[in-house]
Amino acid sequence: MQQQPEWDVAVVGGGPAGLAAAHAAAMAGASTVILERAEHPRYKTCGGGLIGASLNAVRDLPVIPAKDEIRAVTCSLRGGREFTRAEPASGRPLLQMVMRDDFDAALLERALAAGAKVRQKTVVRGLSEEDGQVAIRLGDGTTVTAAVVIGADGSAGVTGRHVGVTFAQVDLGLELEIAIPPAEVPRWAGRVILDWGEIPASYGWVFPKGDRLTVGVIAARKTEAGPQADATRAYLREFVARLGLAGHEAVRDSGHLTRCRREDAPLRAGRVIVAGDAAGLLEPWTREGISFALRSGALAGASAAKAAAAGSPAGLASALDEYGVAIDRGLGEEMRASRKLLAVFTRHPGFFHGAMSTRLGWRLFTRFCRSELPYQEFLQYRYARLALSVLNRL
């Protein structure tokens, strides 16, 4: 006789994708467990900027644990041609800045309030499917079983390998959390700094979070010239020195790889689906990942709950296939449009820098930040198509 799994849905990973998935699955009535290798609250390397799509995805949170609200941006091109533009103080912010330990803790509380359970300090070693369920092998030698598993354990995690996710773009991000004295907080507050770097498709940033600054750079791990790790580290050192921050204490010093999926990469293997970084879902141009994690996680949780409740293998497969279709029609479209913009930005960063300094360019940038203008919609504009067509020929 076939045994019933312990859980309808097991979520591997307790970041934004996993916690959004657990919340959605529990809200749909599925018995749900989160398996998290660390323990909340825990530090996570991340810029921590919440764009409009992220804020929309968590609008039911009682409080967004924001450290700052961004209404101004200072831009430079390889350290020069600097300009600053700002929105009115009374207007909607462009971004809300969070520390990931605070933000993820709030998402965990929301998932638990919906009925999900969590097992922290729980390492997942492997997955296997048999007898109509998934067996999740843990680091302590025990096993958890579930009707459906949602993988949200990062792009280098167990679940992505199990599903067979492949990547078209790999970037190296380096980041410092720098402590600043109280007297310097007003200098940085309410303003993001962006610098378009020398390495193709690279940029640097400063995100203010009260008495902390998140300072980082990101670039392709490899270009036609070869590996870029040394050049990326040099870019970060130069950027920090240029900002006058070299003498400040770096509370955290971290690096990570961001990986964008190939369009034909699978999102499902049997009863296992992947979301967020585990699925390689993030915006290729800016490498923004929080909104992609929250949105894909919510879709995965809803599909997993529907699949777990299905009365037949065909019904389960249909429910899980719906997730892939929803991703392709939504986040997949955003990624395709973003890749087109990235290709042009890589060759002509000066054009984008100059365009952003104009009134129209700034208005478009603010709409992107607030998620009022998706990239794919922007590319339907006649002037956008014309500009990209000309730049692609240069």
Side-chain angles (χ1 to χ4, degrees):
M1 181 177 177
Q2 181 175 306
Q3 287 189 324
Q4 290 296 311
E6 301 167 68
W7 301 93
D8 293 330
V9 177
V11 179
V12 181
L19 296 172
H23 174 258
M27 288 293 289
S31 62
T32 305
V33 64
I34 305 158
L35 306 174
E36 165 58 36
R37 68 179 299 132
E39 184 175 18
H40 287 280
R42 79 281 193 274
Y43 177 81
K44 172 68 176 178
T45 301
C46 183
L50 302 186
I51 64 173
S54 298
L55 295 172
N56 290 337
V58 296
R59 57 184 176 271
D60 58 338
L61 279 181
V63 177
I64 302 293
K67 296 293 187 181
D68 204 344
E69 293 185 339
I70 303 303
R71 289 182 171 82
V73 179
T74 295
C75 287
S76 60
L77 177 65
R78 299 163 184 163
R81 294 172 54 183
E82 183 178 296
F83 66 86
T84 298
R85 297 196 69 110
E87 291 289 275
S90 59
R92 288 174 54 204
L94 303 176
L95 303 170
Q96 293 199 34
M97 305 307 307
V98 296
M99 298 295 291
R100 278 287 305 278
D101 49 357
D102 296 335
F103 185 61
D104 290 6
L107 294 177
L108 175 59
E109 186 175 341
R110 183 181 71 157
L112 296 178
K117 306 298 181 184
V118 64
R119 290 181 57 175
Q120 308 209 61
K121 296 184 177 180
T122 301
V123 177
V124 172
R125 298 296 189 195
L127 307 170
S128 60
E129 185 176 334
E130 56 187 43
D131 299 328
Q133 60 187 353
V134 182
I136 306 164
R137 181 168 52 85
L138 305 181
D140 63 3
T142 63
T143 299
V144 171
T145 59
V148 177
V149 168
I150 299 172
D153 51 343
S155 61
V158 170
T159 60
R161 291 197 300 273
H162 178 86
V163 169
V165 180
T166 54
F167 305 102
Q169 176 182 331
V170 182
D171 298 295
L172 171 62
L174 302 175
E175 201 163 66
L176 303 174
E177 294 286 351
I178 295 179
I180 56 173
E184 290 192 30
V185 170
R187 172 191 170 193
W188 303 96
R191 178 175 61 110
V192 160
I193 294 176
L194 299 174
D195 176 71
W196 320 122
E198 292 276 0
I199 306 169
S202 67
Y203 73 97
W205 63 86
V206 179
F207 293 150
K209 300 171 183 176
D211 62 355
R212 298 283 181 91
L213 300 176
T214 299
V215 183
V217 300
I218 195 163
R221 184 178 62 171
K222 294 180 181 179
T223 67
E224 292 179 357
Q228 295 298 310
D230 289 344
T232 305
R233 284 190 286 268
Y235 180 22
L236 179 60
R237 288 193 300 270
E238 184 274 331
F239 187 47
V240 169
R242 188 200 320 156
L243 294 165
L245 293 169
H248 290 64
E249 178 190 5
V251 180
R252 301 273 186 176
D253 182 346
S254 57
H256 65 285
L257 295 177
T258 65
R259 298 175 172 94
C260 292
R261 68 188 293 266
R262 291 171 53 96
E263 276 203 61
D264 59 354
L267 295 171
R268 171 186 167 224
R271 292 171 176 261
V272 180
I273 58 177
V274 285
D277 287 346
L281 294 170
L282 71 156
E283 200 257 276
W285 183 14
T286 68
R287 291 78 154 187
E288 190 277 326
I290 294 178
S291 77
F292 279 70
L294 292 168
R295 289 180 286 170
S296 63
L299 290 170
S303 292
K306 183 177 179 180
S312 67
L316 179 140
S318 176
L320 295 182
D321 285 341
E322 287 176 9
Y323 169 67
V325 172
I327 291 294
D328 185 63
R329 291 177 177 173
L331 300 182
E333 283 292 328
E334 288 187 39
M335 293 180 73
R336 284 187 281 275
S338 175
R339 285 192 180 101
K340 293 178 181 179
L341 291 169
L342 173 64
V344 179
F345 172 74
T346 301
R347 296 172 58 197
H348 304 287
F351 170 82
F352 282 85
H353 181 73
M356 192 169 157
S357 69
T358 67
R359 180 180 300 178
L360 175 59
W362 174 251
R363 184 160 62 88
L364 290 171
F365 176 78
T366 63
R367 294 190 68 195
F368 290 145
C369 289
R370 293 172 178 142
S371 302
E372 298 169 347
L373 180 63
Y375 290 149
Q376 62 268 36
E377 183 178 323
F378 166 73
L379 292 179
Q380 297 305 310
Y381 290 176
R382 181 173 176 273
Y383 67 82
R385 295 199 306 271
L386 178 61
L388 265 63
S389 176
V390 171
L391 291 170
N392 275 325
R393 290 198 294 268
L394 296 177

